[in-house]
Amino acid sequence: MASMSGDALLLLHGDLHLRVIAARNLPNRDLCSESLLGCFGSCVPVSPTTDRSLSAQHDEDHRRRHQIDLQHLHHHHKGITSDPYVTVGISSSIVARTSVIHNCEEPEWNENFKIPLAHHASILEFVVKDNDIIGAQVIGTATIPAATVISGNLFESWLPVLDSSGQLVKPGAALHVSFQFVHVDDNEIYAHGIAGDPQRRGVEDTYFPLRKGGSIKLYQDAHIRENELPQINLDGNHIYQHEKCWEDICHAILEARHLIYVVGWSIFVKVRLVRERTKGVPVEGEMMLGDLLKYKSEEGVRVCMLVWDDKTSHEMLKKAGVMNTHDEETRKFFNHSSVICVLSPRYPSSKLSIIKQQVVGTIYTHHQKCVIVDTLASEARRKITAFIGGLDIAGGRYDTPEHRLFKDLDTVFAGDFHNPTFDTKEKGPRQPWHDLHCRIEGPAAFDVLTNFEQRWKKATRHKINFFGMFKETSWRDDSLLKIDRISWIDSPSATCKDSYGDKNVWVKSENDSDTWHVQVFRSIDSGSVRGFPLYAEGAETKSQNLVRGKNIVIDKSIHTAYVKAIRCAKRFIYIENQYFIGSCYGWPSYKSSEADNLIPMELTLKIVEKIRKRERFCVYIVIPMWPEGDPKSAAVQEILFWQGQTMMMMYGIIGQELQSLGYNESPEDYLNFYCLGNREISNNNLQNIPSDSNSNSAVTSARRHRRFMIYVHAKGMIVDDEYVILGSANINQRSLDGSRDTEIAMGAYQPHHASNHNKHPHGQVYGYRKSLWAEHLGELNSKFETPETLECVKYVNQIANDNWFRYTAESNVSLKGHLMKYPVRVDSNGSVGSLPRFENFPDVGGKVLGAPTALPDELTM
C-alpha cells in the first residue's frame, strides 16, 4: 500500500529514542489575539492566597509554581507572542508531545522521549503548534522520511518548518531534533521473557520499579465455593489454591488495627462481602459493607474512602447517577460518622485549555479499585496488604464460577440483583459477573499505598465551586496515618536506596520457591495526584520515568508494561478484558486518532513474526458478548463498531501474511476471540419463573431460552504461564492513555517458575490460567498444558463453537463450561463478517459488529 505522497509505507516496529531540542524564527501567531486577551485581562485567575494553616510542602509547591510562571512569562519576549509546543505524529497518531514554552519565538525544550512504535508509515511528522486559552493552532510542520528513521542511524538536524503549501512559515524557521530508532529484533531487552530476564529489570522506564520479596494471591470471581473447581497440580508437589476474594477482603478488614483505605469507581454500602461462607468468618463479617466500615472505625481504625464523584449523580436529581455508582448515597451514609469518605471528581489539570478541562472533568473517571489494610505479620508485628484488580465492591459483582442466572435470587443474590440490559424486576435472568483480582504483600504493597496517598492529598486539596471549576482549599487534611511513626508496622526506611525494596518489608526470601517479583503500574496524570514534579521541571520528570504532555505530567506505565510483555512473549498470550479497542491507525474503514494504543497491533505483529519464523504461537482473547447495557443503544453499538474494526485489522494483517507466504492456514490457528454465556436448565425452581410466553420482548426471550451472557469485567493478561498483568485497566484508550481514566495494575512473576531450557513453568501463574480454563471450558485436558500448539487451539475452538450453537439453539441444552466463540466469521484471507443467521445478538438484538454513531469518539474509545 502506498502513502498519499507516493512513498512506500515501512513498518517501524521498535523504540524511537527522540530528543526535541529547540526551534528558531517561529512566527508570532498571537498578534491577532493580543487585543482580545487585553479585554479579558481582568478575568485572568490569580493564584489562590495561602494562609498559615497550609503545610510547608504546599507553600513550597506554590512558590515553585509562581517562579516557573514568572519564568515563562518573561522568557525571551516581553510582549505577547506564540506559546509553542511540538507534537510528534506517525500514521495519524500523536505519539509524543512537548511542554508549552510561553511567549517565545526561539523556544528551547531539550526534552527526551522513548516512544514505542508499531506503525506502517512513510514519514515521521513534527507539528509545531501555538497554545491558546481555548485550544491550539498549527504554526507549521517538519517531516522526516520513514526510510531515514528505520535505518537505525543516529540523526540530528535542523528541519525546515513549512506551512500547508510547503513554504517556510517564516524565513529561517526550523526545528532542531535528534533521534535513533532501535528495531524490536535488535533490542536485547526483548530477548528474554520478563520473568526470564537474567538482569531482573522488570518493566523499565516506569514510575514504580520492580520489587522483590513479595507475595501474591490471584483471584477469579468474587467467590469460589468448595470443590467448585478441579484440583490443579503444580511443581514441587504443590496444589493450586482456588482463593476466595471477597472473603479474604472481609477477613483483612476485620483484622485491621490501624488503617483501612478503600478506593473505588463505585463503592456500595449495602453490599455483603460474605454470603456462602467457607471459612470461620465472625458474625461481623456478614454485615453490609457500610456497617462493617463504621464498625471498624468505631474500634479506632482510620477508615478513609476515596470514591469517584460522578457528575451525573446529584442529591436532588438522579442520586445513583447515569452509571449507577451510588456515590452520593455512599457519601451520605457516612455523614456524621468517623469514616472519612471523600468524593473525588476526575480533576483536569488547571494547565489544560478551558475546553479540554471540561472534556476531562466530564467524560473521564477515577477507575482504580483498591483496598489497603494493615494485617498481621508476626506475633507482634503488622504489615501492609493491598488488594487491587477489576472488582469494585459494588452491586451485581458477587458471583462464583457457576455464574447462576435464576438460582438463589431470593437468598444469595437478594437485594443485589443486577441486569442493566433490561428490566427483569429481579425475576431473572441476572447478569453473571466474571472478574479478576489479586492481593499484594511486600514492598509493592507500599507502592499501592503511595498511589492512594498521592490521590488522597490531591482530592482533599480541592473543592468544586458553583461554576463547576475546582480550586484549592485553605485547610490541610491530616487524615492519613504516618505509618513510619508506628514502630510495630513494618515499613520501608526513608534511607533505603535499593530499588527492589527495603528487605525490612519483604515477606518472602529470594530462596523461597514461592517468592514473587511484583511491579505496580498506573495510568494517571498530574491532575489526579499530588507529588508529581511540575510540568516545567523536565529533569525531575525524566528521573521519575514520567511523560511530559502539553501541559501535564503523565504516568502511562500500564501501556508500557503491556507492550513489553507482548514483545517478550515466546509461546502464547491469554487475555481477558472488558473491552478490546486500539491501534486505530490501522483500522480498515474508519480513521481516528482517539484509540491509538499499541496493544492490538503489537499482538498482531508478534503473531506475524512467529509465522515468518515458523514457530507456533497463539493469542486467546476473552471479551463480553457486548458491553454492559442495551446492545441496541448508540453507545454500545459504537463500542462494538470500534471493537469490530480492531478485529478486522488484526485478522486482515494475519490473513495477508499467511497468503503472501503461501501457507494454507487459517488466521484462527493463531488468534481467537471468545465470549462467555450460560444456560441454566437443571433447577427445579425454574418452573416458577414467569416466561411471559405471549410477549416478544428481549427479557421474555431470555427467560424462555434460560440464557444470558456472562459479563466479562476482567482486565488481565497471562504470558507463557510465567507472567501476569492484572488490574483495573481495560484495553482501550480511556484506560491506557494515562490522561483519561485513572487506573492501577500490577505485573508479577515467580523467579523460580520461569521458562528455562524449554521447560514450561508450572507455578502459580500456570495454575491461575488452568483454573480459569477449567471454569470456562468445564474440564481440564492434557492439551491445555501447551496452549500454543495447534492441537490445543483446535480443541478449545471445538468446545467454543459447540457451546455457541448450544447457546443459540431453540431447545434448552446445557453448555460445557461457558466459553463460546465470539459470533463473527473469519475467512482464510482475514476478512471478518457476521456469522450466518447471527448479524444480531440472540434475544436482545443489536448488531454484533456495531455501527458508528454521532457520539464523540473520546466517549466510547
Side-chain angles (χ1 to χ4, degrees), residues 265 323 367 433 562 575-582 597 599-600 621-624 626-629 635-636 638-640 642-643 646-647 673 711-716 728-736 741 743 859-861:
W265 175 82
M323 302 298 292
H367 199 237
W433 196 274
Y562 266 96
I575 292 173
E576 292 186 3
N577 209 281
Q578 182 183 4
Y579 298 103
F580 195 82
I581 299 170
N597 72 79
I599 310 309
I621 301 173
V622 181
I623 54 178
W626 65 84
E628 194 171 35
V636 174
E638 189 161 82
I639 293 170
L640 289 166
W642 308 143
Q643 181 176 279
T646 305
M647 290 181 183
F673 288 86
Y711 194 62
V712 178
H713 191 258
K715 300 100 169 45
S728 68
N730 296 309
I731 297 179
N732 61 5
Q733 202 64 21
R734 293 179 65 109
S735 286
L736 299 175
D741 289 353
E743 310 284 5
L859 180 65
T860 53
M861 288 185 177

Side-chain angles (χ1 to χ4, degrees), residues 705-729:
H705 293 102
R706 309 304 187 207
R707 66 189 177 197
F708 201 73
M709 74 158 175
I710 297 168
Y711 194 62
V712 178
H713 191 258
K715 300 100 169 45
M717 180 171 78
I718 293 172
V719 179
D720 296 337
D721 276 344
E722 63 180 10
Y723 187 75
V724 59
I725 295 178
L726 189 156
S728 68

Side-chain angles (χ1 to χ4, degrees), residues 607-620:
I607 291 171
V608 168
E609 169 202 334
K610 294 295 186 177
I611 289 173
R612 291 174 180 173
K613 293 180 178 179
R614 299 312 287 156
E615 297 175 359
R616 274 302 305 169
F617 189 90
C618 64
V619 176
Y620 303 84

Side-chain angles (χ1 to χ4, degrees), residues 284-577:
E284 294 84 3
E286 296 186 358
M287 291 180 174
M288 291 183 180
L289 176 66
D291 295 327
L292 178 61
L293 294 176
K294 281 185 178 180
Y295 176 84
K296 292 302 295 183
S297 183
E298 290 164 356
E299 288 185 344
V301 178
R302 185 68 53 84
V303 181
C304 296
M305 301 176 62
L306 197 56
V307 185
W308 173 50
D309 187 358
D310 181 359
K311 284 190 174 184
T312 67
S313 64
H314 195 276
E315 178 67 23
M316 303 299 293
L317 300 174
K318 182 176 173 60
K319 188 183 296 185
V322 171
M323 302 298 292
N324 288 306
T325 59
H326 300 280
D327 55 315
E328 289 294 338
E329 293 178 61
T330 299
R331 178 193 58 79
K332 188 175 181 180
F333 180 86
F334 291 111
N335 279 349
H336 312 298
S337 78
S338 51
V339 174
I340 307 167
C341 181
V342 173
L343 299 190
S344 176
R346 174 61 176 93
Y347 291 116
S349 169
S350 60
K351 299 293 185 180
L352 297 175
S353 69
I354 293 173
I355 294 176
K356 189 66 174 178
Q357 286 187 48
Q358 293 304 309
V359 170
V360 171
T362 303
I363 292 180
Y364 302 130
T365 76
H366 289 304
H367 199 237
Q368 297 177 345
K369 306 98 167 47
C370 313
V371 176
I372 306 162
V373 295
D374 69 290
T375 58
L376 186 67
S378 61
E379 185 175 346
R381 307 292 302 173
R382 309 291 292 177
K383 65 180 183 292
I384 296 299
T385 297
F387 297 84
I388 69 170
L391 264 172
D392 290 286
I393 307 179
R397 270 58 170 180
Y398 183 87
D399 214 339
T400 70
E402 184 182 359
H403 297 300
R404 286 157 280 185
L405 300 177
F406 300 99
K407 293 180 186 177
D408 304 321
L409 298 185
D410 56 349
T411 54
V412 175
F413 303 104
D416 186 22
F417 186 91
H418 181 73
N419 193 326
T421 300
F422 38 53
D423 182 11
T424 66
K425 296 181 173 60
E426 301 195 8
K427 297 177 182 177
R430 62 179 290 271
Q431 176 180 274
W433 196 274
H434 175 68
D435 225 321
L436 306 178
H437 218 70
C438 73
R439 188 193 74 180
I440 304 173
E441 293 181 339
F446 285 88
D447 294 333
V448 181
L449 176 61
T450 296
N451 169 77
F452 178 86
E453 292 175 340
Q454 289 179 337
R455 282 196 54 200
W456 183 269
K457 291 173 183 177
K458 187 74 171 186
T460 55
R461 290 298 317 154
H462 297 89
K463 64 180 180 181
I464 302 294
N465 65 20
F466 179 78
F467 300 102
M469 306 298 287
F470 70 92
K471 65 177 184 178
E472 292 191 347
T473 59
S474 58
W475 52 270
R476 180 173 62 88
D477 179 87
D478 61 354
S479 302
L480 299 177
L481 293 184
K482 303 293 185 182
I483 293 176
D484 57 334
R485 299 182 191 173
I486 306 175
S487 60
W488 51 89
I489 298 181
D490 294 334
S491 59
S493 168
T495 60
C496 178
K497 303 301 182 183
D498 188 349
S499 66
Y500 289 131
D502 191 339
K503 291 187 177 181
N504 184 50
V505 296
W506 284 21
V507 294
K508 299 282 186 180
S509 72
E510 274 295 273
N511 294 326
D512 190 329
S513 63
D514 288 332
T515 193
W516 287 80
H517 291 178
V518 190
Q519 194 168 3
V520 173
F521 309 117
R522 290 187 295 184
S523 292
I524 203 164
D525 66 30
S526 50
S528 298
V529 295
R530 186 171 170 214
F532 279 6
L534 303 180
Y535 79 89
E537 298 176 334
E540 186 67 17
T541 302
K542 180 175 175 57
S543 70
Q544 296 185 32
N545 294 314
L546 298 168
V547 179
R548 297 176 75 186
K550 184 174 78 171
N551 269 324
I552 54 176
V553 177
I554 304 169
D555 179 350
K556 55 184 305 180
S557 51
I558 295 178
H559 184 266
T560 301
Y562 266 96
V563 170
K564 181 169 184 182
I566 294 167
R567 289 180 175 183
C568 290
K570 307 302 178 188
R571 300 190 294 123
F572 78 95
I573 290 173
Y574 175 67
I575 292 173
E576 292 186 3
N577 209 281

